[in-house]
Amino acid sequence: MHDQVLKVFAAAMEQPADTRKAWIEATCAHDAELASAVLALHDADSKAESMLPTGGVWQFAEALTPGQRFDRYQIIELIGAGGMGAVYRAKRIAGDFDQTVAIKILANQSSTPEGQARFLNERQILAGLEHPNIARLIDGGTAQELAFIAMEYVEGQPLVHDPSRPETETLKLFKQVCDAVSYAHNNLILHRDIKPENVLVTAEGVPKLLDFGVAKMTQEIQAGVEQDLTTVNPAPLTPNFAAPERLVGEPATIGSDVYSLGVFLYNLVYGRQPYNVRGQAYQEAFNTAIQRPQSTRTSDLDVIISTAMHPDPERRFTSVAALADDIDRYLNNRAIQSRGDDWRYLLSKVVSRYKFALASAGLGIMALITALIVSIYQTNIAEQQTIRAESMSRFLSSVFVAIDPNSGTNLGPEASLRQLLEVSESLIAQEFAADPITRAQVYALFGRVYGTLQLYPESERMLEAATAIQQDSGLSYTQLGSTILYSQIAHLQQTGDIAGASELCDVLLQHDSVFADEVMNRIFYLGTCANVRALSGQTDAGRVLADRSLGILRQSGAAVPQHQRITLLSMLTNVYHAFGDGQQADLLIDEAVAIAQDMGESAYSSLAWLYLIQSLGPNQVGDHATSLTFTTKAVATARLSKLARDGLMYAYIHLYHADRLIDVGRVEEAAQVYAPAREVLLQNTPEFASYHSLVYFTDYKLAFAERNFELAAASLIESKRIRQGSGEAYGQWFAATDHALGKTYIELEKYQEAVPLLQRAYDFYLQLYGAGHERVNLYQRTLENAQQQMAAAQ
């Protein structure tokens, strides 16, 4: 019967595609079995794109039916058909073990010698490949006068675009495909037909590269053993995934596989083809491919895809390994090689990579860099601007040379921020030897960076170096700008010396009019001093400074770009929260959110963080349900942004989301969200010890919700120990932790330990917010309850 099936199917292929199925049903109406067999071939063929040019004559394998024995196997079902034959799922019936395989059978014996040679070539190729991401060869030979190969049966789904799958996961899967193709290349084999249908992802999440039926040994290609693609029946390929040069008769190369991987990646990321040439003649398809509009996007991922898909083979990645390396760099937020070595771009990558670590103390790295640029260019000695710009350029270049793997510094691109700062620190004196003003400013800025990382000894050393230059050179604050004073204030505040910080604020504020042109710095230092005043109990004076800071921001206009305006509004949100002015804080953070939303996709990372800040206000007054709506937005937005590949920031957002889930009683869901975030946050270097304290605080919340009060208390004690070790002053976080520990001790009936903690927390918030505030009322009730229970127990 198989001859009749093939005859009908061959005739069906001559029909228009949109009426082909109806034609088969009408032609085979008298024979249900025949109709079923032909429709099965039609459905299998429709799953895959033609590998032959339009007008080519298709040939098909002998039709095998389910249950039929074939050599040592029993056919289960047809799973695919193409230009070289058909593929069946089959079960081994000979031997003492069960095994399911994919049997590929060469087209019937009327097939061309070239087709037979290609089929035997595939068998030889697969026999030499052993890689976890390549379907392995199991068996092969001839049975029933049909050549066949039995391969590992991969039960999975084609690797295609999935909008619900995080970009990070998609790229990791793609990297494994690259590893498989690169392995084949290292074994002198080109695949020549890379496309989604030839990559299946197993239930365990492992991609498997299939179908080496059109693969070719590179030695043969280099020797000219390649079918002439200018003839009517060129070598098999899939036009929508083939490199342009292959469409006009050029031989396959590593570059053509790189191109196919680029199209594949485009499909994975954007869910569509970059162009569609199906049905076009080869010359027309070539013109479409090389004339396609270049991407107007500027993200690193777009650059990687465009480089892989460049029409000129010489301008693509030189190897699949190079493509995979840039994907790895992108995943780790490092500078990609395909961007080139422009220092501005390299600076942006370093800034992006470490932005969150520096933003954690309320001052982002972008603000530090901006302050540095202001210090360099906004001087009152115009003729020195060029000199300082040149020295700054040399300094930045030296920093980036230091992380070059060939520089001899033993750092490389994976250097931690602390290592990078230490190397950069050693370059300051060298690059700014003739410019004490800039040298002092850079030392001061490094002091602030170290301070935000809670590396206080290093911070103090940098600030002492800046002060020494000031004293030795006789420079005034007017000459130096606000940088040194502001950095010293931030350091004293971080280390708990609020009185010292307040005194320096007095000095800085005396010079405020001198620094009128330093718009960005003024907004920051007025906001910082406002917070210092609040912590010193000078609430009214602090409010005046906060209002001045906000007023300057309101009048700044174009002097403050939108992305910096978001940072400043976030900073002032925290300041007004410190005064207990939740209404003003909410207005500011809402304004920042609106700006970020207007900026669109480019601001998703900032928007995710802003949603997290929005969640803090409701949480402070016990409105956990509203707070949860904001953390939910933060998680969803982060997933769409570059944060999805930034392990630290992404984990941090999920940590807060888990906290809110616990607060509303969704403990099991919280535990699932929290577990991976905890793992990421705890594995980071000591630079991020402050995050460790947050991890242990969430440990407490989970344990408390599960009524494991001993573990809850131990987690809080460890959390406090970490924060105390950093030198941080007693503030809102410590008061909230004392309140939590006091509640835990009540559950353990340790009233003597609970009451002093609850009293201290209550006193702090009473002084901060005043009587009548919702949080103060809550803490008062908890304290009174503990006092009553302690009295009853005595």
Side-chain angles (χ1 to χ4, degrees), residues 15 25 45 91 114 120 149 155 169 188 237 295 320 376 454 462 534 681 707:
Q15 307 304 315
E25 292 172 343
D45 173 67
K91 179 180 180 181
E114 290 85 354
L120 294 174
I149 55 176
E155 188 168 359
E169 183 181 337
L188 306 181
L237 52 80
S295 172
V320 175
I376 292 169
Q454 300 183 352
M462 289 288 93
L681 291 169
R707 303 195 63 79

Side-chain angles (χ1 to χ4, degrees), residues 744-788:
T744 307
Y745 281 148
I746 291 175
E747 296 293 341
L748 293 170
E749 299 182 356
K750 295 181 178 181
Y751 305 116
Q752 295 290 343
E753 291 91 337
V755 169
L757 291 169
L758 294 171
Q759 184 71 59
R760 186 179 187 186
Y762 168 71
D763 289 343
F764 174 85
Y765 275 105
L766 178 63
Q767 181 179 5
L768 179 63
Y769 291 151
H773 189 274
E774 291 181 64
R775 188 159 193 155
V776 174
N777 292 340
L778 172 64
Y779 279 32
Q780 182 178 10
R781 290 194 297 270
T782 308
L783 172 61
E784 291 173 348
N785 177 54
Q787 290 170 333
Q788 292 170 4

Side-chain angles (χ1 to χ4, degrees), residues 590-741:
D590 289 348
E591 182 180 347
V593 167
I595 294 172
Q597 289 173 336
D598 287 342
M599 292 174 67
E601 186 177 348
S602 65
Y604 277 177
S605 297
S606 297
L607 187 59
W609 179 243
L610 294 173
Y611 283 141
L612 200 64
I613 296 175
Q614 276 188 312
S615 76
L616 301 180
N619 184 61
Q620 282 189 342
V621 296
D623 185 359
H624 302 308
T626 299
S627 183
L628 177 61
T629 63
F630 288 119
T631 62
T632 301
K633 286 183 179 181
V635 168
T637 307
R639 188 174 294 124
L640 297 173
S641 74
K642 292 182 179 180
L643 297 179
R645 65 176 188 276
D646 181 344
L648 181 64
M649 180 65 165
Y650 203 51
Y652 192 75
I653 290 175
H654 281 74
L655 176 79
Y656 270 93
H657 185 50
D659 278 356
R660 298 295 82 77
L661 288 169
I662 295 170
D663 291 334
V664 298
R666 293 157 61 178
V667 178
E668 185 175 345
E669 182 181 350
Q672 293 176 348
V673 170
Y674 174 54
R678 186 182 196 277
E679 182 178 352
V680 170
L681 291 169
L682 284 182
Q683 73 182 2
N684 279 286
T685 67
E687 297 169 6
F688 305 105
S690 62
Y691 306 141
H692 297 183
S693 70
L694 297 176
V695 167
Y696 285 109
F697 194 89
T698 303
D699 282 348
Y700 139 75
K701 297 191 74 168
L702 270 177
F704 193 95
E706 295 168 351
R707 303 195 63 79
N708 186 345
F709 301 118
E710 292 287 355
L711 177 58
S715 299
L716 283 172
I717 291 170
E718 177 62 13
S719 183
K720 284 185 65 176
R721 184 196 66 77
I722 293 171
R723 292 290 275 257
Q724 288 168 339
S726 72
E728 182 178 342
Y730 191 90
Q732 292 192 51
W733 187 89
F734 281 108
T737 305
D738 279 347
H739 180 258
L741 187 54

Side-chain angles (χ1 to χ4, degrees), residues 302 414 428 440 443 552 618 626 692 699 762 769 771 790:
D302 290 301
E414 295 295 345
I428 296 174
Y443 276 134
I552 295 171
T626 299
H692 297 183
D699 282 348
Y762 168 71
Y769 291 151
M790 183 173 67

